[in-house]
Amino acid sequence: MSEQPAKELPPVNHEMVTLARESRGLLQSQAAKLLGLYQGRLSKIESGLTSADEDIRRKLSAVLCYPPEFFSLKNSVFGPGTSEFFHRKLQSTPARKLRQIHAEINIRIIHIERLLRAIDIEKDNIPRIDLEERRWSVSDVARAVRATWNLPPGPVQTVVNSIEAAGGLVIPCKFDCVNIDALSRYIPGLPHLFFVDDSLLGDRLRMTLAHELGHAVLHRLPNPDMEDQAFQFAAEFLMPEKEIRPQFDQVTLAKLGTMKQVWKVSMAALLKRAGDLGKISPDMKRYLWTKMSKSGYRTREPAEFDVPIEEPRMLKQIIEVHQNDLGYGLGDLSKLLFLDKEEAQLKYNIVPSKTESKLRLRAI
Ligand SMILES: [Zn+2]
């Protein structure tokens, strides 16, 4: 990464320096130390007050592990977007971690924009519905989305496939942050993007995706009730009242466990739904809640009821089209994404194509 760039590159874009540094979770002072610069110098470079010469570009490339070309990119850097406007847990996330996640998302957006250049993707079919204009309830909206997508009654078989069939793109990421399960972004010209942490259990992945879908459908503009609305949307989308209500007779923990396997949502989500629909009394709900706590289910529900983890397919297919139809090897893909081979492979689960493996065998 530290070798001299072969051709003269366009000047360093200061925004990319900040993006690269933040994506590595470094404070400006830490990065300056690693670069052998005074923090003031780095600060001026990042603010665009001083330009970065080729020597600094080489150092940036070596320290922050992005190729020299990355620092010349002119891509827009996007802010958090509406879905995070009233996100409660984000308030308690350390600022550096949050900046790292936002930088990571911006870099992923650069990747996706580049990966989609060679691929014809249809406009997504995610409805955008204004509650006030239609005078609908949030549950009406969730039912409308299910109807638009022709989902059969009952449990949603796979949330990831439903979103991807409607043209959304689910991108597994490593947020490494207890406060953040998923974040979504609407960037004009790209499919609606759903970034999800790849360590989530199956039920949680479905719930967080349904919640982000709620934001995508309902919240072009933020409003103070948007978090509750996204949760209500997810509840009706995954557990439609009409079909689940009759199943909430005589709720016990064992019954919640059985229902979890059918509806593929957590026992906790089912218990909350039963309470919200008035199928169990507040006392009963409290009793079951306490029983779940005492059994340790609030931390980890029993493994025997685990919901299979849904695998996003679209991003995988986009990578495969590059490999199989466009002849991209791992080296080409890593160049396209401005990552070294190892990071490209890790981030996008790239399985070397057959021709690459053959070549490697021949080389040995
Ligand atoms: Zn939310």
Side-chain angles (χ1 to χ4, degrees):
M1 283 232 172
S2 56
E3 76 265 26
Q4 181 89 34
K7 55 180 187 308
E8 201 171 311
L9 296 167
V12 167
N13 171 6
H14 63 98
E15 288 190 307
M16 292 301 137
V17 179
T18 310
L19 207 58
R21 171 179 65 76
E22 291 185 341
S23 77
R24 300 306 184 198
L26 292 170
L27 293 172
Q28 209 175 48
S29 56
Q30 296 171 315
K33 207 169 169 189
L34 293 168
L35 291 160
L37 299 175
Y38 289 113
Q39 192 187 341
R41 179 101 189 266
L42 181 58
S43 165
K44 284 181 188 167
I45 290 173
E46 289 193 19
S47 315
L49 296 174
T50 309
S51 54
D53 59 24
E54 288 310 307
D55 180 47
I56 290 183
R57 186 203 295 268
R58 269 193 301 277
K59 287 179 178 159
L60 287 167
S61 171
V63 167
L64 301 175
C65 295
Y66 289 102
E69 297 80 5
F70 176 86
F71 298 95
S72 294
L73 288 175
K74 290 203 162 50
N75 289 64
S76 309
V77 176
F78 297 98
T82 51
S83 71
E84 289 174 45
F85 207 79
F86 287 101
H87 192 306
R88 293 177 196 119
K89 287 183 181 167
L90 288 186
Q91 327 292 340
S92 54
T93 304
R96 189 192 336 183
K97 186 72 210 173
L98 201 53
R99 279 200 294 270
Q100 184 180 12
I101 290 171
H102 287 154
E104 169 69 15
I105 285 181
N106 267 294
I107 289 173
R108 295 288 194 145
I109 291 170
I110 294 174
H111 294 163
I112 287 153
E113 189 263 318
R114 294 177 71 82
L115 283 167
L116 291 180
R117 279 182 191 174
I119 290 173
D120 205 12
I121 234 172
E122 282 178 33
K123 204 181 159 329
D124 73 54
N125 182 26
I126 296 174
R128 269 80 188 184
I129 295 171
D130 187 319
L131 279 180
E132 283 181 23
E133 203 176 278
R134 304 230 181 187
R135 304 192 175 199
W136 281 5
S137 71
V138 172
S139 297
D140 292 334
V141 174
R143 282 192 288 276
V145 173
R146 286 183 62 118
T148 310
W149 290 355
N150 294 312
L151 297 182
V156 178
Q157 282 316 311
T158 84
V159 178
V160 168
N161 286 4
S162 303
I163 288 177
E164 294 201 328
L169 188 56
V170 180
I171 304 132
C173 296
K174 288 188 195 310
F175 290 144
D176 196 20
C177 173
V178 285
N179 288 344
I180 302 176
D181 284 351
L183 293 172
S184 55
R185 288 280 190 283
Y186 176 69
I187 308 289
L190 292 182
H192 206 104
L193 305 173
F194 297 84
F195 301 92
V196 288
D197 192 85
D198 69 358
S199 68
L200 300 181
L201 289 172
D203 52 339
R204 196 149 161 185
L205 172 68
R206 285 165 59 88
M207 183 55 80
T208 195
L209 272 174
H211 175 104
E212 290 303 317
L213 175 62
H215 282 316
V217 173
L218 293 164
H219 302 131
R220 271 301 168 84
L221 288 176
N223 77 64
D225 300 323
M226 63 187 285
E227 282 311 300
D228 291 335
Q229 290 173 345
F231 281 117
Q232 279 171 39
F233 176 95
E236 178 66 19
F237 184 78
L238 295 174
M239 300 170 274
E241 179 176 356
K242 199 173 158 206
E243 291 110 53
I244 206 163
R245 176 179 273 283
Q247 299 191 12
F248 278 137
D249 290 328
Q250 288 157 358
V251 175
T252 59
L253 282 199
K255 182 158 188 186
L256 291 176
T258 313
M259 285 182 77
K260 175 173 179 172
Q261 290 164 291
V262 175
W263 291 89
K264 301 187 218 173
V265 294
S266 67
M267 293 165 72
L270 286 161
L271 179 55
K272 184 173 184 312
R273 187 74 169 146
D276 290 349
L277 295 177
K279 289 291 289 188
I280 51 170
S281 67
D283 280 351
M284 188 59 179
K285 189 176 158 192
R286 214 170 301 124
Y287 165 75
L288 288 170
W289 210 240
T290 311
K291 216 170 158 188
M292 281 194 42
S293 290
K294 282 188 183 152
S295 315
Y297 295 178
R298 298 287 301 278
T299 327
R300 175 70 166 90
E301 296 186 0
E304 67 208 85
F305 303 136
D306 273 2
V307 170
I309 296 170
E310 298 180 12
E311 300 252 359
R313 287 193 202 158
M314 198 139 95
L315 194 53
K316 206 169 160 228
Q317 282 170 2
I318 292 168
I319 298 281
E320 282 169 3
V321 167
H322 279 80
Q323 290 182 294
N324 304 336
D325 301 353
L326 303 172
Y328 277 63
L330 177 59
D332 303 314
L333 276 166
S334 67
K335 270 193 197 128
L336 181 75
L337 303 174
F338 299 108
L339 297 171
D340 68 26
K341 285 184 189 172
E342 208 178 321
E343 194 176 1
Q345 208 165 2
L346 209 69
K347 273 202 157 84
Y348 291 96
N349 260 322
I350 302 171
V351 185
S353 61
K354 287 189 189 102
T355 30
E356 278 179 281
S357 322
K358 255 188 236 153
L359 283 176
R360 200 171 303 150
L361 280 176
R362 214 174 292 156
I364 291 165

